[in-house]
Amino acid sequence: MKSIITTGLICGIALFCSCKSKPSEKDISKKILMEYVCPDNAKVYNLKVTNAKETESLFGLPALQYTVSGEVEWSNGCDEAFGNLPAGYKEPFDNKIVTLVKTDEGWQ
């Protein structure tokens, strides 16, 4: 009886922890912005996750792959090399594939 309770408790904790360890919307947005110029000056709006699946990275680490839609906006523009964007510039994205890998530092 004691082992059944212990096993149930361990399974419950594992389930709770695995649900809590999913990437947040902020993690997904940060990963999306890494593909754009001036990511520190941009923000993701209207983020919609249309699909999510579990996968592994090349090194065997747990990963989640998302299909997302939304838009990136540079409210203050961008003056970096190869990134001359006016203030308020918006760029929509649709069915973009984003993969986040679970590391010791979190989802990247």
Side-chain angles (χ1 to χ4, degrees):
M1 180 72 166
K2 211 176 200 181
S3 66
I4 292 173
I5 293 172
T6 304
T7 303
L9 183 59
I10 291 171
C11 289
I13 291 170
L15 180 61
F16 177 76
C17 291
S18 67
C19 291
K20 296 290 278 182
S21 68
K22 300 271 188 222
S24 67
E25 187 173 309
K26 184 178 178 180
D27 294 327
I28 297 168
S29 294
K30 183 178 176 182
K31 182 71 173 193
I32 291 168
L33 291 175
M34 290 175 65
E35 297 180 16
Y36 290 90
V37 66
C38 297
D40 295 333
N41 295 340
K43 185 167 182 170
V44 174
Y45 288 99
N46 303 318
L47 180 64
K48 293 182 184 101
V49 176
T50 56
N51 191 25
K53 70 177 184 177
E54 292 183 17
T55 187
E56 284 187 358
S57 72
L58 295 175
F59 302 108
L61 297 171
L64 288 169
Q65 186 177 70
Y66 292 97
T67 305
V68 295
S69 299
E71 69 180 0
V72 176
E73 180 180 1
W74 291 264
S75 56
N76 296 324
C78 174
D79 291 328
E80 287 185 9
F82 307 110
N84 191 9
L85 304 174
Y89 180 78
K90 296 178 183 180
E91 185 172 317
F93 57 90
D94 192 33
N95 294 321
K96 182 178 213 42
I97 303 295
V98 179
T99 303
L100 288 106
V101 178
K102 177 85 171 178
T103 67
D104 291 338
E105 292 84 37
W107 290 95
Q108 300 183 3

